[in-house]
Amino acid sequence: MRNDPLKLTSNVAAAQDAVAGIAEITTDVQAQKVELRSSNIASMKDAAVVTNTALEGILKLSATLISHSRNVDSLAKKIEQRDSLDAAIWGAES
């Protein structure tokens, strides 16, 4: 448990650091699929379907994360500007 106060700040560099690893995600699983060549066991066929569905879901999730991470920079700049303006207004009122 934290005893020190948690500091919240608007910081473009911190936002960039937070999503830096996401840009390195590779989603080259489109060509990968599980195929059963000669099994007639129903549970094996079901497992192949589940695995392929999971791979598709992971691909979509990765693409969404990458897409959203590209917006972090501009969003962080806007929030930082807004917070600076708010701080200036609050500072003027005290």
Side-chain angles (χ1 to χ4, degrees), residues 47-72:
V49 171
V50 168
T51 302
N52 288 329
T53 303
L55 283 173
E56 290 173 17
I58 291 168
L59 178 63
K60 288 178 184 177
L61 175 62
S62 297
T64 301
L65 288 172
I66 291 168
S67 173
H68 286 297
S69 73
R70 291 185 183 128
N71 298 325
V72 166

mmCIF file of all heavy atoms in Angstrom, residues 47-72:
data_model
loop_
_atom_site.group_PDB
_atom_site.id
_atom_site.type_symbol
_atom_site.label_atom_id
_atom_site.label_comp_id
_atom_site.label_asym_id
_atom_site.label_seq_id
_atom_site.Cartn_x
_atom_site.Cartn_y
_atom_site.Cartn_z
ATOM 1 N N ALA A 47 -11.533 -27.164 -30.824
ATOM 2 C CA ALA A 47 -10.347 -26.470 -30.328
ATOM 3 C C ALA A 47 -9.699 -25.648 -31.440
ATOM 4 O O ALA A 47 -9.231 -24.526 -31.208
ATOM 5 C CB ALA A 47 -9.341 -27.465 -29.756
ATOM 6 N N ALA A 48 -9.685 -26.159 -32.648
ATOM 7 C CA ALA A 48 -9.127 -25.415 -33.780
ATOM 8 C C ALA A 48 -9.946 -24.165 -34.057
ATOM 9 O O ALA A 48 -9.392 -23.089 -34.294
ATOM 10 C CB ALA A 48 -9.069 -26.307 -35.022
ATOM 11 N N VAL A 49 -11.256 -24.286 -33.985
ATOM 12 C CA VAL A 49 -12.141 -23.125 -34.199
ATOM 13 C C VAL A 49 -11.914 -22.083 -33.104
ATOM 14 O O VAL A 49 -11.786 -20.886 -33.380
ATOM 15 C CB VAL A 49 -13.624 -23.556 -34.251
ATOM 16 C CG1 VAL A 49 -14.555 -22.352 -34.245
ATOM 17 C CG2 VAL A 49 -13.880 -24.411 -35.477
ATOM 18 N N VAL A 50 -11.858 -22.520 -31.865
ATOM 19 C CA VAL A 50 -11.638 -21.606 -30.741
ATOM 20 C C VAL A 50 -10.286 -20.899 -30.879
ATOM 21 O O VAL A 50 -10.184 -19.682 -30.684
ATOM 22 C CB VAL A 50 -11.732 -22.361 -29.390
ATOM 23 C CG1 VAL A 50 -11.234 -21.503 -28.244
ATOM 24 C CG2 VAL A 50 -13.156 -22.820 -29.135
ATOM 25 N N THR A 51 -9.265 -21.656 -31.226
ATOM 26 C CA THR A 51 -7.930 -21.075 -31.385
ATOM 27 C C THR A 51 -7.904 -20.051 -32.506
ATOM 28 O O THR A 51 -7.350 -18.952 -32.353
ATOM 29 C CB THR A 51 -6.888 -22.181 -31.646
ATOM 30 O OG1 THR A 51 -6.922 -23.112 -30.558
ATOM 31 C CG2 THR A 51 -5.497 -21.609 -31.793
ATOM 32 N N ASN A 52 -8.505 -20.360 -33.625
ATOM 33 C CA ASN A 52 -8.540 -19.415 -34.746
ATOM 34 C C ASN A 52 -9.339 -18.164 -34.394
ATOM 35 O O ASN A 52 -8.960 -17.050 -34.760
ATOM 36 C CB ASN A 52 -9.097 -20.078 -36.000
ATOM 37 C CG ASN A 52 -8.111 -21.058 -36.597
ATOM 38 O OD1 ASN A 52 -6.900 -20.870 -36.492
ATOM 39 N ND2 ASN A 52 -8.606 -22.110 -37.207
ATOM 40 N N THR A 53 -10.419 -18.333 -33.654
ATOM 41 C CA THR A 53 -11.206 -17.186 -33.203
ATOM 42 C C THR A 53 -10.395 -16.324 -32.250
ATOM 43 O O THR A 53 -10.419 -15.093 -32.329
ATOM 44 C CB THR A 53 -12.515 -17.656 -32.532
ATOM 45 O OG1 THR A 53 -13.248 -18.468 -33.459
ATOM 46 C CG2 THR A 53 -13.367 -16.490 -32.097
ATOM 47 N N ALA A 54 -9.660 -16.962 -31.348
ATOM 48 C CA ALA A 54 -8.811 -16.220 -30.410
ATOM 49 C C ALA A 54 -7.719 -15.455 -31.154
ATOM 50 O O ALA A 54 -7.437 -14.292 -30.831
ATOM 51 C CB ALA A 54 -8.191 -17.174 -29.389
ATOM 52 N N LEU A 55 -7.104 -16.072 -32.153
ATOM 53 C CA LEU A 55 -6.084 -15.384 -32.946
ATOM 54 C C LEU A 55 -6.666 -14.154 -33.645
ATOM 55 O O LEU A 55 -6.039 -13.096 -33.676
ATOM 56 C CB LEU A 55 -5.468 -16.336 -33.979
ATOM 57 C CG LEU A 55 -4.458 -17.340 -33.466
ATOM 58 C CD1 LEU A 55 -4.071 -18.332 -34.573
ATOM 59 C CD2 LEU A 55 -3.222 -16.649 -32.941
ATOM 60 N N GLU A 56 -7.861 -14.285 -34.189
ATOM 61 C CA GLU A 56 -8.514 -13.148 -34.841
ATOM 62 C C GLU A 56 -8.791 -12.037 -33.826
ATOM 63 O O GLU A 56 -8.600 -10.854 -34.121
ATOM 64 C CB GLU A 56 -9.814 -13.590 -35.502
ATOM 65 C CG GLU A 56 -9.621 -14.460 -36.725
ATOM 66 C CD GLU A 56 -10.931 -15.027 -37.256
ATOM 67 O OE1 GLU A 56 -12.016 -14.506 -36.899
ATOM 68 O OE2 GLU A 56 -10.872 -15.995 -38.028
ATOM 69 N N GLY A 57 -9.235 -12.411 -32.643
ATOM 70 C CA GLY A 57 -9.506 -11.433 -31.594
ATOM 71 C C GLY A 57 -8.249 -10.704 -31.149
ATOM 72 O O GLY A 57 -8.258 -9.482 -30.953
ATOM 73 N N ILE A 58 -7.163 -11.446 -31.014
ATOM 74 C CA ILE A 58 -5.883 -10.843 -30.623
ATOM 75 C C ILE A 58 -5.402 -9.883 -31.700
ATOM 76 O O ILE A 58 -4.909 -8.790 -31.408
ATOM 77 C CB ILE A 58 -4.838 -11.934 -30.325
ATOM 78 C CG1 ILE A 58 -5.215 -12.679 -29.046
ATOM 79 C CG2 ILE A 58 -3.437 -11.348 -30.223
ATOM 80 C CD1 ILE A 58 -4.437 -13.949 -28.804
ATOM 81 N N LEU A 59 -5.567 -10.257 -32.953
ATOM 82 C CA LEU A 59 -5.175 -9.390 -34.061
ATOM 83 C C LEU A 59 -5.976 -8.085 -34.035
ATOM 84 O O LEU A 59 -5.409 -6.995 -34.170
ATOM 85 C CB LEU A 59 -5.383 -10.114 -35.393
ATOM 86 C CG LEU A 59 -5.056 -9.318 -36.639
ATOM 87 C CD1 LEU A 59 -3.579 -8.968 -36.671
ATOM 88 C CD2 LEU A 59 -5.456 -10.088 -37.879
ATOM 89 N N LYS A 60 -7.282 -8.179 -33.825
ATOM 90 C CA LYS A 60 -8.126 -6.975 -33.758
ATOM 91 C C LYS A 60 -7.767 -6.115 -32.556
ATOM 92 O O LYS A 60 -7.702 -4.889 -32.655
ATOM 93 C CB LYS A 60 -9.604 -7.364 -33.710
ATOM 94 C CG LYS A 60 -10.128 -7.904 -35.017
ATOM 95 C CD LYS A 60 -11.585 -8.310 -34.897
ATOM 96 C CE LYS A 60 -12.075 -8.947 -36.189
ATOM 97 N NZ LYS A 60 -13.457 -9.415 -36.068
ATOM 98 N N LEU A 61 -7.535 -6.738 -31.413
ATOM 99 C CA LEU A 61 -7.158 -5.995 -30.206
ATOM 100 C C LEU A 61 -5.832 -5.276 -30.416
ATOM 101 O O LEU A 61 -5.699 -4.091 -30.085
ATOM 102 C CB LEU A 61 -7.062 -6.940 -29.005
ATOM 103 C CG LEU A 61 -6.565 -6.313 -27.700
ATOM 104 C CD1 LEU A 61 -7.519 -5.228 -27.229
ATOM 105 C CD2 LEU A 61 -6.388 -7.384 -26.645
ATOM 106 N N SER A 62 -4.848 -5.956 -30.984
ATOM 107 C CA SER A 62 -3.549 -5.343 -31.239
ATOM 108 C C SER A 62 -3.677 -4.160 -32.185
ATOM 109 O O SER A 62 -3.083 -3.100 -31.951
ATOM 110 C CB SER A 62 -2.581 -6.366 -31.844
ATOM 111 O OG SER A 62 -2.344 -7.416 -30.946
ATOM 112 N N ALA A 63 -4.446 -4.321 -33.237
ATOM 113 C CA ALA A 63 -4.634 -3.232 -34.199
ATOM 114 C C ALA A 63 -5.307 -2.033 -33.537
ATOM 115 O O ALA A 63 -4.928 -0.881 -33.782
ATOM 116 C CB ALA A 63 -5.454 -3.722 -35.389
ATOM 117 N N THR A 64 -6.271 -2.287 -32.675
ATOM 118 C CA THR A 64 -6.955 -1.208 -31.974
ATOM 119 C C THR A 64 -6.016 -0.494 -31.020
ATOM 120 O O THR A 64 -5.996 0.746 -30.958
ATOM 121 C CB THR A 64 -8.181 -1.755 -31.201
ATOM 122 O OG1 THR A 64 -9.062 -2.381 -32.142
ATOM 123 C CG2 THR A 64 -8.917 -0.665 -30.461
ATOM 124 N N LEU A 65 -5.231 -1.240 -30.266
ATOM 125 C CA LEU A 65 -4.262 -0.641 -29.344
ATOM 126 C C LEU A 65 -3.254 0.227 -30.091
ATOM 127 O O LEU A 65 -2.940 1.346 -29.670
ATOM 128 C CB LEU A 65 -3.531 -1.715 -28.547
ATOM 129 C CG LEU A 65 -4.338 -2.427 -27.475
ATOM 130 C CD1 LEU A 65 -3.542 -3.589 -26.897
ATOM 131 C CD2 LEU A 65 -4.740 -1.462 -26.386
ATOM 132 N N ILE A 66 -2.751 -0.277 -31.194
ATOM 133 C CA ILE A 66 -1.779 0.480 -31.983
ATOM 134 C C ILE A 66 -2.425 1.751 -32.519
ATOM 135 O O ILE A 66 -1.841 2.836 -32.454
ATOM 136 C CB ILE A 66 -1.204 -0.391 -33.116
ATOM 137 C CG1 ILE A 66 -0.325 -1.497 -32.524
ATOM 138 C CG2 ILE A 66 -0.411 0.457 -34.112
ATOM 139 C CD1 ILE A 66 0.051 -2.583 -33.511
ATOM 140 N N SER A 67 -3.629 1.636 -33.018
ATOM 141 C CA SER A 67 -4.339 2.796 -33.552
ATOM 142 C C SER A 67 -4.549 3.864 -32.478
ATOM 143 O O SER A 67 -4.295 5.049 -32.704
ATOM 144 C CB SER A 67 -5.693 2.347 -34.121
ATOM 145 O OG SER A 67 -6.456 3.450 -34.503
ATOM 146 N N HIS A 68 -5.001 3.447 -31.312
ATOM 147 C CA HIS A 68 -5.238 4.402 -30.224
ATOM 148 C C HIS A 68 -3.931 4.992 -29.697
ATOM 149 O O HIS A 68 -3.896 6.160 -29.303
ATOM 150 C CB HIS A 68 -6.024 3.759 -29.091
ATOM 151 C CG HIS A 68 -7.464 3.554 -29.420
ATOM 152 N ND1 HIS A 68 -8.330 4.578 -29.685
ATOM 153 C CD2 HIS A 68 -8.192 2.415 -29.537
ATOM 154 C CE1 HIS A 68 -9.536 4.100 -29.946
ATOM 155 N NE2 HIS A 68 -9.470 2.783 -29.871
ATOM 156 N N SER A 69 -2.876 4.211 -29.690
ATOM 157 C CA SER A 69 -1.598 4.725 -29.179
ATOM 158 C C SER A 69 -1.060 5.843 -30.061
ATOM 159 O O SER A 69 -0.345 6.723 -29.587
ATOM 160 C CB SER A 69 -0.572 3.602 -29.052
ATOM 161 O OG SER A 69 -0.098 3.186 -30.318
ATOM 162 N N ARG A 70 -1.422 5.835 -31.329
ATOM 163 C CA ARG A 70 -0.981 6.904 -32.236
ATOM 164 C C ARG A 70 -1.643 8.236 -31.900
ATOM 165 O O ARG A 70 -1.127 9.287 -32.254
ATOM 166 C CB ARG A 70 -1.270 6.512 -33.677
ATOM 167 C CG ARG A 70 -0.410 5.371 -34.157
ATOM 168 C CD ARG A 70 -0.624 5.057 -35.621
ATOM 169 N NE ARG A 70 0.172 3.903 -35.985
ATOM 170 C CZ ARG A 70 -0.316 2.838 -36.601
ATOM 171 N NH1 ARG A 70 -1.577 2.777 -36.951
ATOM 172 N NH2 ARG A 70 0.477 1.820 -36.899
ATOM 173 N N ASN A 71 -2.779 8.189 -31.240
ATOM 174 C CA ASN A 71 -3.506 9.411 -30.877
ATOM 175 C C ASN A 71 -3.051 9.991 -29.546
ATOM 176 O O ASN A 71 -3.438 11.112 -29.207
ATOM 177 C CB ASN A 71 -5.004 9.134 -30.819
ATOM 178 C CG ASN A 71 -5.562 8.690 -32.149
ATOM 179 O OD1 ASN A 71 -5.110 9.143 -33.193
ATOM 180 N ND2 ASN A 71 -6.534 7.794 -32.125
ATOM 181 N N VAL A 72 -2.278 9.256 -28.790
ATOM 182 C CA VAL A 72 -1.900 9.671 -27.441
ATOM 183 C C VAL A 72 -1.107 10.969 -27.465
ATOM 184 O O VAL A 72 -1.322 11.853 -26.636
ATOM 185 C CB VAL A 72 -1.122 8.551 -26.717
ATOM 186 C CG1 VAL A 72 -0.423 9.068 -25.473
ATOM 187 C CG2 VAL A 72 -2.069 7.424 -26.355
#
